[in-house]
Amino acid sequence: MAMGVDPSYLSNLSSSLDRVQANQQQLTAELSSGVSINSLSQNPVASGENVLLLNQIQQDDSFTESSTMVQGKLQVADSALGSVVSQLTQAISLATSANNGTMNPSDVKSISNQIAGVLDEVQTLANSSYQGQYIFAGGQTSATPFTTSSATSPGVTAYNGDEDVNYLEMPNGQKIQLNVPGNQIFSAGGSNNVFAALNSLVADYSSGTVDTPQAVSDTQALSTALNYVSQQRVTIDNSITQLTAASNATSTEQTQLTSAQTNLMQADVAQVSTQLSLSETQQTALEDVIAELGSASNDLFSKLQ
Amino acid sequence: MGTISSAFSSMSQALDADQSALNIVANNVANANTPGYTEETPNWQENQPLVIDGVSYGAGVAETGPTSIRDSVLNQRLDQQQQLASASTARLAALNTVQALFTPDSGSSASTAGDIGSDLTSFFNSFSSLEANPADSSLREEVLSSAGILAGDISNAAASLDTQQSALDQEAAGVASQVNALTGSLAQLNQQIESTSPDADAGTLQDQRQQDLSQLSQLIGVNQVTTQDNGLSITTTSGQLLVSGNENFQLTTGSVGGATHFFVGTTDITSQLASGGGQLGGYLTARDVDIPSVLGSLDQLAYGVSTQVNDLNNTGTDLDGNTGNASNPDASPLYIFNQPTQVAGSAAAMSVVMTDPNQIAAAAGPTANDPNPGTGDNSNAVAIAKLASTAIVNGQLPSEFYSNLVTTLGSTVSAVQTENTAQNASVTQLQTQNNSLSEVNLNDEASAMTMLERSYQAASQVFTMLNTIMASALNLGEQATVS
């Protein structure tokens, strides 16, 4: 008996045909989904990498959203401080005109009222809120941070917030300051207390007569406090600048990562189509071979007479 | 005269022998498609020569019956390879079902286990967003909803794995009865073979025994040892006796710790069967090794995230100014997730227990310096968001841990796939070798038949000629009286 020939070679050919069809199914799935990795085992390392890339992309995306939200708040703070600066400048100019000794008592009283108006305005600005939360209150964002009592003369403006400073952490761990507590801006220690200076000036001019050395000294104090407010505003401006830069960098990174993730997971249509076409050719060839070899005329018995 | 008569006798024996050989060929052709049938070949034997007057004359041929063309070593190798291939096929099928749960996330929003990586990121991102505005109720809702999606995907994955594990358990239990039927049949065949053909190949009985053995090899891993009188002892690969002579030992099943275990007598051979091969080996490996490993990782992930997030939230101050029991022993704990007590089962039990988004503690807990941090404080939200980049799950970052989980699972499936492809190729190769040796080749049968027909014709022809010669001898010196 002859060795080396498997009489069931046709069944081997049909299992080859099965494999070719399975391959086609896989390629078709890649083409229709546009994704080259439909199961982990196709490329375990890329599947793991995909998790990390998506994680980074989502973090970047979320940071960009948060930074938009935070920028709104910082801009409200910046614009409020801008208005405070102009209000204070106006108050200084009012005080300076009252200090030159040429005004009659009723004009001086009027100056006192105007500075009281400025005080009110500055307090309103210091009580600015963003989306229902007070922005110069430290952590106590649900309570009005500044209230003024006129029970004494000069009046006293109290700070009800705290010293809490919030930060936004970027995906890379860098921290961006989100707020400056109100007491640090408006009622800091020493000569940097805006409200104390304003309250003093209101009191200085309220009687119509001016104690000039005292009024000059208080005006000087307000001027110092104004400079201090401007310095604190720089912190806010720096945060805005930092945030814009970080947000741009993050967007750029996100674009790069998205492109890397797409390259990792996306099917190469040209390549897959070529493979599919090759596979179809192979299928046709196998079918022809099976049809040819499977026909009865290839059997020796059919030749016997 | 003696020699002509013996020539006659030789020819008639040749005609008999050819007929009997043609019968063997006919039987081969008839059984060409019978599963397990081994091609048979006629045995030709020269008869004892005749010695007449000191001279030796050939005495023709005899056909002494068919011999099956089998190679027991090849059969055994095929069986062994089949055991390996069946094991990896069953294991691969189970692993493919497992990995289907973790289809790689392409970034779409559909919620499946494959999205656990994205769910983790979204959950921690919701705390990063909360940093921007800790009092915002929509951001707080977002935290609870992303926590719900994360917990849902993890617990659903755990539930699916559990279902798959039970399904494998049932399939494995079903194998036992098939094994018993086969070992019973093998014991019976052993008995018949030992009584009918103790010293030689038992032909079709042996075909049947080999067929049963091949089927058994698809189910479990076995070793075979040929014993006296052409018998066959069968043990599991680790040596537990299943068939000895005409006796077979039943494989019984029983529940141990909620899983089906397999016994012979009172011996628990489950772990031996798991590593032994065959379908049962594959099922048991998937049930006892592969699925528990994935489930264990999910448990670690769920445990790490739940406990760490809960602990931090419990130390902070919520929007209503309340603190958890970390700083106030009288308070209830401020837990976002169902707090697990142990790692095992954490994934299945993971759920969001917090219903009021105000209870998310974005603010730090009270301290001596700052007894009331206020609703605008975000430092605890920062701390919780930071868990995303902290090694809180088995010494790894949560996303890193999940990434390793999918890589490990994918690599396992891929390795088993490669193994299975190689083993199947090897089975095909051995099958081809075995087929080319033992399977009926119709072309060979056609040519054998033609040869036997020719030899029969030749013998008939010689017989006729001898007849003529004999007639001449009988009529020697006479006028033709015999023709």
Side-chain angles (χ1 to χ4, degrees):
Chain A
M1 293 296 149
M3 278 286 292
V5 177
D6 178 1
S8 320
Y9 56 89
L10 271 183
S11 65
N12 289 347
L13 281 177
S14 62
S15 56
S16 298
L17 195 58
D18 288 347
R19 278 199 294 277
V20 169
Q21 280 171 342
N23 186 27
Q24 281 174 15
Q25 199 181 3
Q26 163 71 24
L27 291 170
T28 314
E30 285 183 28
L31 274 184
S32 62
S33 67
V35 178
S36 66
I37 303 174
N38 290 304
S39 67
L40 303 181
S41 57
Q42 269 178 280
N43 192 341
V45 175
S47 304
E49 187 70 10
N50 182 43
V51 170
L52 297 178
L53 279 174
L54 281 177
N55 175 47
Q56 195 61 44
I57 292 170
Q58 283 176 303
Q59 272 188 6
D60 286 349
D61 190 40
S62 158
F63 177 76
T64 313
E65 270 177 43
S66 300
S67 77
T68 311
M69 214 163 0
V70 167
Q71 264 174 346
K73 183 160 117 178
L74 286 169
Q75 266 151 8
V76 169
D78 182 57
S79 126
L81 292 183
S83 305
V84 167
V85 167
S86 59
Q87 289 289 331
L88 293 182
T89 312
Q90 193 195 342
I92 290 168
S93 118
L94 287 168
T96 313
S97 65
N99 291 348
N100 67 9
T102 58
M103 284 189 177
N104 62 37
S106 110
D107 286 346
V108 170
K109 275 190 183 171
S110 154
I111 295 284
S112 170
N113 286 337
Q114 287 182 53
I115 293 179
V118 169
L119 174 63
D120 276 351
E121 186 56 32
V122 170
Q123 183 178 314
T124 306
L125 288 167
N127 289 337
S128 296
S129 63
Y130 181 75
Q131 293 182 344
Q133 303 293 312
Y134 293 102
I135 55 181
F136 296 116
Q140 310 293 336
T141 54
S142 49
T144 315
F146 289 99
T147 48
T148 302
S149 154
S150 321
T152 55
S153 180
V156 174
T157 304
Y159 178 57
N160 309 310
D162 61 19
E163 313 261 332
D164 204 31
V165 176
N166 282 343
Y167 294 91
L168 182 70
E169 278 213 11
M170 289 179 50
N172 64 9
Q174 191 192 335
K175 285 179 166 188
I176 295 174
Q177 187 170 343
L178 293 184
N179 71 318
V180 180
N183 61 341
Q184 199 181 320
I185 303 174
F186 301 104
S187 50
S191 56
N192 299 325
N193 193 325
V194 171
F195 285 114
L198 283 172
N199 277 312
S200 300
L201 284 172
V202 170
D204 287 346
Y205 306 126
S206 60
S207 65
T209 55
V210 183
D211 174 357
T212 310
Q214 180 62 45
V216 167
S217 151
D218 288 340
T219 308
Q220 187 55 47
L222 184 60
S223 179
T224 311
L226 167 62
N227 285 338
Y228 190 70
V229 169
S230 297
Q231 282 169 29
Q232 298 309 306
R233 193 182 169 196
V234 171
T235 308
I236 304 276
D237 289 344
N238 279 346
S239 287
I240 293 176
T241 313
Q242 251 183 316
L243 206 55
T244 311
S247 178
N248 289 343
T250 308
S251 297
T252 311
E253 185 186 76
Q254 193 184 346
T255 311
Q256 284 167 352
L257 288 172
T258 306
S259 130
Q261 195 261 346
T262 308
N263 282 342
L264 189 69
M265 299 298 283
Q266 201 178 50
D268 180 341
V269 174
Q271 199 188 348
V272 174
S273 308
T274 313
Q275 285 170 350
L276 187 59
S277 160
L278 280 175
S279 178
E280 277 168 353
T281 311
Q282 195 187 357
Q283 186 188 356
T284 314
L286 273 171
E287 282 167 355
D288 286 352
V289 170
I290 291 171
E292 182 61 28
L293 293 181
S295 70
S297 62
N298 281 302
D299 196 321
L300 191 49
F301 271 109
S302 63
K303 316 280 190 208
L304 297 182
Q305 297 298 323
Chain B
M1 289 296 281
T3 48
I4 292 181
S5 298
S6 64
F8 264 121
S9 149
S10 289
M11 281 308 108
S12 71
Q13 278 168 6
L15 290 170
D16 283 351
D18 286 339
Q19 278 183 29
S20 118
L22 278 166
N23 187 20
I24 294 171
V25 170
N27 187 45
N28 279 341
V29 174
N31 282 298
N33 291 321
T34 308
Y37 178 77
T38 301
E39 185 181 17
E40 293 178 348
T41 180
N43 279 313
W44 302 95
Q45 204 172 2
E46 191 185 350
N47 286 334
Q48 283 291 327
L50 296 171
V51 180
I52 300 171
D53 293 340
V55 181
S56 166
Y57 298 92
V61 69
E63 198 284 310
T64 58
T67 305
S68 301
I69 312 174
R70 81 175 89 243
D71 180 341
S72 58
V73 176
L74 192 55
N75 276 332
Q76 210 166 332
R77 279 184 57 208
L78 181 56
D79 287 345
Q80 281 168 356
Q81 203 59 36
Q82 183 64 57
Q83 290 160 24
L84 295 177
S86 296
S88 60
T89 303
R91 187 178 172 205
L92 182 61
L95 280 170
N96 272 330
T97 322
V98 171
Q99 78 161 350
L101 281 176
F102 299 91
T103 305
D105 187 353
S106 52
S108 68
S109 56
S111 178
T112 61
D115 296 333
I116 290 173
S118 303
D119 296 345
L120 281 168
T121 316
S122 301
F123 173 66
F124 288 115
N125 278 349
S126 69
F127 275 100
S128 306
S129 302
L130 197 58
E131 290 173 23
N133 193 351
D136 188 293
S137 60
S138 68
L139 292 178
R140 285 174 170 269
E141 290 284 359
E142 182 57 35
V143 170
L144 286 193
S145 100
S146 61
I149 293 171
L150 172 65
D153 281 353
I154 290 185
S155 59
N156 285 341
S160 300
L161 287 172
D162 196 54
T163 311
Q164 287 177 21
Q165 209 173 11
S166 327
L168 282 170
D169 188 77
Q170 284 174 14
E171 289 184 73
V175 171
S177 59
Q178 300 177 51
V179 168
N180 288 335
L182 286 170
T183 51
S185 162
L186 280 164
Q188 224 168 21
L189 284 166
N190 259 346
Q191 190 180 23
Q192 287 176 291
I193 289 170
E194 282 171 27
S195 61
T196 57
S197 182
D199 304 315
D201 193 283
T204 45
L205 285 175
Q206 218 160 315
D207 289 352
Q208 283 175 28
R209 190 166 69 178
Q210 181 53 44
Q211 177 72 356
D212 283 351
L213 208 49
S214 302
Q215 284 182 15
L216 190 62
S217 292
Q218 293 187 358
L219 299 176
I220 56 170
V222 290
N223 282 335
Q224 41 180 304
V225 181
T226 311
T227 57
Q228 58 177 4
D229 299 336
N230 211 1
L232 204 57
S233 279
I234 293 160
T235 67
T236 64
T237 39
S238 49
Q240 179 65 46
L241 200 56
L242 293 176
V243 177
S244 169
N246 59 7
E247 228 184 328
N248 73 313
F249 301 92
Q250 296 277 322
L251 196 59
T252 55
T253 56
S255 176
V256 175
T260 304
H261 276 227
F262 297 83
F263 302 87
V264 171
T266 54
T267 317
D268 187 341
I269 57 166
T270 313
S271 63
Q272 301 172 17
L273 287 174
S275 56
Q279 242 175 41
L280 187 57
Y283 288 148
L284 292 178
T285 308
R287 183 193 75 177
D288 297 343
V289 179
D290 295 325
I291 292 185
S293 145
V294 179
L295 209 48
S297 295
L298 280 181
D299 279 342
Q300 283 182 333
L301 183 64
Y303 184 83
V305 171
S306 299
T307 53
Q308 297 284 333
V309 169
N310 279 350
D311 287 353
L312 273 182
N313 199 67
N314 195 30
T315 57
T317 307
D318 73 8
L319 193 61
D320 303 326
N322 298 323
T323 54
N325 62 0
S327 52
N328 176 7
D330 299 330
S332 337
L334 283 178
Y335 287 157
I336 294 180
F337 295 107
N338 178 29
Q339 175 81 348
T341 49
Q342 56 173 7
V343 176
S346 295
M350 193 174 188
S351 65
V352 175
V353 293
M354 185 177 282
T355 49
D356 180 3
N358 283 5
Q359 289 187 320
I360 295 162
T367 58
N369 290 338
D370 191 2
N372 173 18
T375 51
D377 182 18
N378 74 355
S379 50
N380 208 40
V382 172
I384 297 178
K386 227 175 171 168
L387 289 177
S389 50
T390 314
I392 56 168
V393 187
N394 206 21
Q396 292 168 16
L397 313 186
S399 56
E400 205 176 73
F401 184 85
Y402 180 71
S403 165
N404 285 341
L405 189 162
V406 297
T407 308
T408 310
L409 176 59
S411 306
T412 307
V413 182
S414 171
V416 174
Q417 228 162 34
T418 311
E419 199 178 274
N420 182 247
T421 308
Q423 284 163 349
N424 278 332
S426 170
V427 166
T428 307
Q429 205 180 3
L430 287 166
Q431 189 75 60
T432 302
Q433 279 181 33
N434 197 43
N435 283 352
S436 62
L437 179 70
S438 300
E439 203 179 61
V440 176
N441 183 330
L442 288 176
N443 288 341
D444 286 351
E445 300 305 326
S447 86
M449 205 175 76
T450 311
M451 272 168 59
L452 290 170
E453 193 185 349
R454 282 293 169 203
S455 128
Y456 189 85
Q457 282 169 350
S460 315
Q461 201 64 41
V462 171
F463 195 90
T464 312
M465 284 163 70
L466 284 174
N467 194 25
T468 313
I469 293 167
M470 189 64 151
S472 306
L474 288 173
N475 294 333
L476 207 56
E478 296 289 332
Q479 291 303 310
T481 50
V482 175
S483 59

